[in-house]
Amino acid sequence: MSRNPATILEERNKRQRPQSGPDAVIEVEDLVTHYGDRMILQGVSMEVREKEIMVIMGGSGSGKSTLLRHLMALENKTSGTMRILGYDIDKISRKEFLEVRKKLGVAFQSGALFSSMTVGDNIMLPLYEHTDLDPLTMEIMARMKLEVVELSGFEDLMPSELSGGMIKRAAFARAIVMDPRVLFCDEPSAGLDPVVASALDDLILDMRDAMGMSIVVVTHELDSAFKIADRITILDRGKILMIGTVEEVLKSKSDRVQALLNRTPEEDVMDPDEYLDRLVGESNPGTAHL
Amino acid sequence: MAERKLSKMERVEDVGRTTVAFVESVGNGGILVAESIYWLLFGVRERQPVRLSAVIHQMMEIGVRAIPIIFMLTGTIGVMLAIQGIHTLRIFGAESRVTIGIAFSVVREFAPLITGILVAGRSGSALAARIGTMKINQEIDALKVMGINPTRFLVVPALLAMLVMVPALTLFGIFTGLFAAGLYVNADLGISLAAYAHDTIDILSLDDLGHGLGKSVIFAILIAVIGVVNGAGVQGGAEGVGTATTRAVVQSISAIIVTDMLFAFVATR
């Protein structure tokens, strides 16, 4: 489906967007990572600025989820440098690392709410673990965050009693309960109907505007990306294809970028002999068993 | 699809991979225990103390809720030992000496073994399933990003609860087994419960009790570590959790039986 850049930009301009700060909250330089022998990220360099919404896009297997896990300091890299909130994560002490972690929030694709706890307990958990607040104050703070994500009154329910959209909103509430400086969202609108997905996009914009946090979103939903992004990073086979504003991306002359925007599948030209070898398998003892 | 016949080289590779995986699991278990001790000792200093409420919750799950099944099975084993003992000793006309066999068997062997196997099946599997499910649902990642150490938050409470509750359940199993056997002996041989209790206390020493309870402490560590290592190693979705849970139970029970044999060998030398 081809998108009209003018319409997309007009839609975006309906909402006033705050200016992102000049300072980078996350800086990645020449990041290389492997899973076993396979190279997943091949020299990725990027930065996320203060108060900006950075959307990471790319096709399946492009490495966007792996990049997100690196940005959250959940993976070990092969090489490269990474600074989160000014700290080089290779040189950081354990104590500093914990302090950095307290300033990060994450809303995973599945929500990742703890199924054995109520929604309220899930949201209060970071407060309970990292602050000395009394239980009543924690409850009030949890209710406030639930109000932000329009889930007030649901604090006593178990996650299994919530719908998919509600789980994602509850995950947002937990992610922002410590007022993080950086919020990570993994496929926030995946698997949701368009109305709920659009409401979540608005929520992301509201949270950035109201709380001034930097937000990193991984998504493959183009409508959502164009609506919320200040800048977009496009990954392709573990490499950065381009980083730019929505306007720059829409006007990009790159065939790969346009193919991604127009959802055109990549032509996969395969050598017939290689294909036959792969099917037969036995000719190459090193390949996986059929 | 028909399974392809493996070449000799591939078989050797398979053995090598399995060996490496086993050594890796043992290593992971060791690291887990070391990490757990670290958080237990230095958690407060790191401002991440082990929560007593979490330990008590685990103790309820592992210990208190297991009381009925431990009561039933150790009682049954006690009666079974009494039946077999009387039947065997009757051949020599020495059935009144059955108390010796019952006392040693229950205290040194059956109560710790049955309790260990039951806890492995009940709580070891639950631990593996819980951690495995949390892993595939990204709950472990969520904990890490929140700055909450998963070992301190999930493993230490379970390990501590096991360390307290498995010996406690074993002690309970010892009393239940001995009592149930006493009831049978009373009914079959007409030996009064008081005389049976007197004989049992006379025969048993603190060493025997220490033997049984000492074993149960090792079983507790094995069940917790094997459950966590299998849960943390889950790959794939629900099927992976099922596989890890089954593997945790099989490995725990095997480890308990082998350890029991080694313990008996060392302790009786």
Side-chain angles (χ1 to χ4, degrees), chain A residues 69 74 94 98 101 106 108 110 112-115 117 125-126 128-130 132 174 282 285 289-290, chain B residues 4 6 10 38-39 46-48 51 53 134 137-139 141-148 152-153:
Chain A
R69 289 180 65 79
L74 284 174
R94 199 167 148 136
L98 183 64
R101 279 258 157 96
V106 60
F108 282 102
S110 62
L113 296 179
F114 302 111
S115 51
M117 297 179 187
L125 182 67
Y128 181 68
E129 289 293 333
H130 296 310
D132 297 322
R174 187 178 66 185
E282 283 184 16
H289 307 154
L290 283 174
Chain B
R4 197 165 62 86
L6 298 181
E10 284 171 325
Y38 175 85
W39 284 109
E46 298 263 346
R47 292 182 61 84
Q48 287 209 47
R51 305 283 178 186
S53 57
M134 287 184 79
N137 287 343
Q138 295 180 298
E139 292 170 38
D141 286 338
L143 280 176
K144 287 181 188 167
V145 180
M146 279 189 254
I148 300 170
R152 194 266 304 171
F153 188 76

